[in-house]
């Protein structure tokens, strides 16, 4: 039998897979705390923002804010160091996406995930114990490196532990728990004010995640596509036993030596040399870039409201939650699917930005904020679909490499997003015009990709080329056509 038939015997989403996915979801909560750490530990006292002469008096006037700003006097000429530490974290994310994706395709999901999580926890404690800004900034770079890498592997594992019909649900769950993690970090910051204690407590959840993750098996899909068929059978039999439906005679179809050798050479280079993968990668890189650009750009505008920073952090996560049930509903409907749903959400987000352009300056501020948050909601939905859709468009042997390249493009969008509001100097509507045009263009490009709903995923490059997965990208784009045997 092939893998999909095996999962029907084992159980596509049995009790064991549910526990494994929950463990990976807990890791998303931990990674969300690390991603948002600088928002609270880099807080500047309100009175310092009003340019008080002495930092000590500003601290007293602002309710004894304890942050890296107050500890290392990062004000005036030194204020740029706060933003620099945040930028180093995102630079680490970018490097992690580049390094960890192909590495996990080569040596396995489990060792890369466990090693990355362990080192992220260690570097997280280094952040909390840093005795100087230089050490603190270095630790943020290293935490970002690990965070960006294991984020990809964690997502891929939630997909490869379960049957194809549950990919949308498990992929959505990872995004949802990340958003919940952001909200929980806001609540944690409200309770724990000293920045070192906050960093220590937030990082300690990673220890629990690591201890739970040690029991996770290697991905059976990765083992199978690497020609480790016997090990894949062992994992599947163990899953079946833990699910209460033992399958001692479960046997996978053997793959030839040529096939295995071809797969071992698969990697980032295949994304460039293979015509189908090259086209998909170019389109997906642009879509991921736009999702990140619009998402973070709108977040930056929507977060410039007065009020408690802890409430703002919580809302930053909570506003995304309605997007995920919408994703699960639409992407599993035959009349919508992955492609149409993602295109629609991108275009709706662009429409929200378009409406913002026509709001007169005399209108209430709340109307503009509402439209910006609505745009963020739509883009969050598209972003979530991007993970699920992208993982289905790439064969197993290059799935992490594909996700890594797309995520790298996503980080570029996040880096550029803060610069878009500066275009207000040209015209007040310029930032939302950029978001609008970007969203519409990405939404249209998505329609050139194939639909993957109810389509068996390709495990190897040979299956992709032979036509097991649909490679006719679009009838108006005659790039490559493979006829099913």
């Amino acid at each position: 039998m092939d893998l999909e038939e095996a999962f029907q015997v084992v159980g596509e989403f049995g009790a064991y897979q549910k526990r494994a996915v929950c463990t990976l979801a807990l890791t998303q909560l931990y990674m969300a705390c690390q991603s948002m750490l600088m928002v609270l530990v880099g807080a500047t006292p309100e009175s310092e923002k009003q340019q008080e002469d002495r930092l000590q008096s500003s601290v007293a006037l602002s309710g004894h804010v304890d942050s890296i700003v107050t500890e290392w006097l990062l004000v005036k000429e030194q204020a740029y160091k706060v933003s620099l530490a945040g930028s180093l974290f995102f630079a680490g994310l970018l490097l992690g996406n580049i390094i960890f994706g192909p590495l996990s395709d080569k040596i396995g999901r489990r060792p890369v995930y466990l090693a990355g999580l362990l080192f992220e926890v260690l570097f997280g404690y280094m952040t909390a114990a840093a005795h100087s800004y230089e050490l603190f900034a270095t630790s943020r770079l290293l935490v970002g490196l690990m965070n960006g890498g294991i984020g990809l592997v964690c997502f891929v594992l939630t997909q490869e532990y379960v049957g194809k019909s549950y990919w949308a649900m498990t992929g959505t769950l990872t995004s949802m728990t990340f958003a919940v993690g952001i909200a929980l970090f806001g609540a944690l910051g409200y309770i724990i004010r000293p920045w070192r204690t906050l960093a220590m407590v937030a990082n300690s959840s990673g220890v629990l995640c690591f201890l739970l993750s040690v029991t996770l098996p290697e991905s059976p899909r990765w083992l199978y596509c690497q020609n480790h068929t016997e090990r894949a059978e062992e994992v599947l039999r163990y899953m079946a036993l833990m699910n209460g439906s033992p399958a001692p005679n479960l046997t996978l179809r053997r793959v030839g030596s040529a096939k295995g050798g071809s797969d071992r050479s698969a990697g980032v280079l295949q994304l460039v040399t293979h015509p189908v993968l090259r086209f998909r990668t170019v389109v997906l890189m642009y879509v991921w870039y736009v999702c990140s650009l619009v998402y973070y750009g709108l977040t930056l505008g929507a977060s410039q409201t007065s009020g408690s920073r802890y409430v703002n952090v919580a809302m930053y996560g909570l506003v995304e939650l309605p997007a995920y049930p919408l994703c699960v509903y639409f992407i599993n409907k035959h009349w919508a699917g992955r492609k149409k749903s993602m295109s629609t959400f991108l275009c709706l987000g662009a429409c929200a930005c378009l409406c913002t352009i026509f709001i007169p300056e005399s209108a209430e501020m709340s109307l503009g904020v509402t439209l910006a948050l609505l745009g963020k909601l739509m883009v969050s939905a598209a972003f979530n679909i991007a993970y699920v859709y992208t993982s289905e468009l790439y064969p197993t042997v290059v799935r992490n490499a594909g996700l890594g390249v797309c995520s790298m493009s996503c980080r570029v969008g996040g880096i550029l997003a803060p610069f878009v509001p500066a275009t207000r100097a040209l015209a007040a509507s310029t930032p939302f015009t950029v978001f609008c045009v970007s969203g519409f263009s990405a939404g249209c490009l998505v329609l050139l990709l194939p639909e993957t709903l109810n389509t068996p995923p390709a495990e190897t490059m040979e299956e992709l080329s032979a036509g097991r997965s649909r490679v006719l990208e679009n009838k108006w784009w005659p790039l490559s056509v493979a006829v099913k045997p």
Side-chain angles (χ1 to χ4, degrees), residues 83-113:
S83 299
L84 177 60
S87 297
L88 287 172
F89 176 83
F90 284 100
L93 288 179
L94 177 60
L95 292 174
N97 296 152
I98 297 172
I99 297 171
F100 278 66
L103 186 62
S104 66
D105 280 333
K106 181 173 246 186
I107 69 173
R109 317 305 199 206
R110 185 176 182 273
V112 172
Y113 169 71

Side-chain angles (χ1 to χ4, degrees), residues 368-382:
V369 172
T370 300
L371 285 172
L373 291 175
L374 178 62
K376 182 186 175 184
L377 175 67
M378 296 295 106
V379 173
S380 296

Side-chain angles (χ1 to χ4, degrees), residues 273-286:
T273 58
H274 196 288
V276 174
L277 293 181
R278 181 171 62 243
F279 175 74
R280 293 183 183 182
T281 300
V282 170
V283 173
L284 288 170
M285 284 180 69
Y286 180 72

Side-chain angles (χ1 to χ4, degrees), residues 3 39 82 125 136 152 224 268 272-273 278-279 302 309 401 450 483:
L3 273 175
V39 176
V82 179
Y125 283 125
F136 176 88
L152 282 176
Y224 183 69
V268 176
V272 178
T273 58
R278 181 171 62 243
F279 175 74
R309 65 174 65 91
V483 180

Side-chain angles (χ1 to χ4, degrees), residues 216-472:
L216 295 177
E218 181 57 88
S219 162
R221 294 182 184 275
W222 181 85
L223 289 170
Y224 183 69
C225 75
Q226 293 295 314
N227 206 17
H228 301 312
T229 311
E230 292 183 358
R231 289 180 58 195
E233 290 172 347
E234 290 176 5
V235 173
L236 290 170
R237 288 169 188 158
Y238 179 72
M239 286 183 174
L241 180 64
M242 298 302 291
N243 287 339
S245 54
N249 298 321
L250 186 149
T251 304
L252 294 174
R253 185 179 298 120
R254 261 46 183 176
V255 296
S257 58
K259 185 176 183 179
S262 172
D263 289 346
R264 281 192 290 272
S265 65
V268 176
L269 185 61
Q270 291 282 358
L271 305 182
V272 178
T273 58
H274 196 288
V276 174
L277 293 181
R278 181 171 62 243
F279 175 74
R280 293 183 183 182
T281 300
V282 170
V283 173
L284 288 170
M285 284 180 69
Y286 180 72
V287 170
W288 280 61
Y289 161 80
V290 168
C291 285
S292 181
L293 180 73
V294 179
Y295 176 87
Y296 287 110
L298 290 175
T299 299
L300 181 62
S303 63
Q304 293 175 347
T305 56
S306 59
S308 169
R309 65 174 65 91
Y310 309 104
V311 174
N312 291 341
V313 170
M315 287 302 299
Y316 182 93
L318 293 177
V319 74
E320 302 177 34
L321 294 183
Y324 304 121
L326 290 175
C327 292
V328 174
Y329 177 78
F330 284 109
I331 66 179
N332 286 314
K333 297 296 181 181
H334 66 88
W335 45 265
R338 276 65 159 150
K339 178 171 68 173
K340 292 179 182 178
S341 297
M342 187 173 184
S343 177
T344 301
F345 281 124
L346 283 169
C347 290
L348 286 176
C351 286
C353 295
L354 181 63
C355 293
T356 305
I357 296 174
F358 297 104
I359 296 178
E361 294 184 4
S362 58
E364 291 188 13
M365 182 69 71
S366 59
L367 180 58
V369 172
T370 300
L371 285 172
L373 291 175
L374 178 62
K376 182 186 175 184
L377 175 67
M378 296 295 106
V379 173
S380 296
F383 222 155
N384 179 62
I385 297 174
Y387 276 92
V388 177
Y389 192 29
T390 301
S391 68
E392 293 176 344
L393 285 171
Y394 286 107
T396 300
V397 291
V398 293
R399 185 166 295 133
N400 259 4
L403 280 168
V405 170
C406 292
S407 191
M408 176 184 68
S409 179
C410 160
R411 301 307 173 193
V412 174
I415 292 171
L416 295 179
F419 295 96
V420 177
T423 59
R424 288 182 181 274
L426 302 176
S429 61
T430 302
F432 286 100
T433 302
V434 172
F435 298 146
C436 176
V437 173
S438 300
F440 274 126
S441 60
C444 292
L445 279 177
V446 168
L447 296 176
L448 298 177
L449 297 172
E451 180 56 65
T452 57
L453 178 64
N454 298 326
T455 301
E459 303 292 344
T460 66
M461 298 301 299
E462 281 75 10
E463 289 179 4
L464 180 68
S465 300
R468 178 178 174 181
S469 65
R470 180 182 170 191
V471 298
L472 177 58

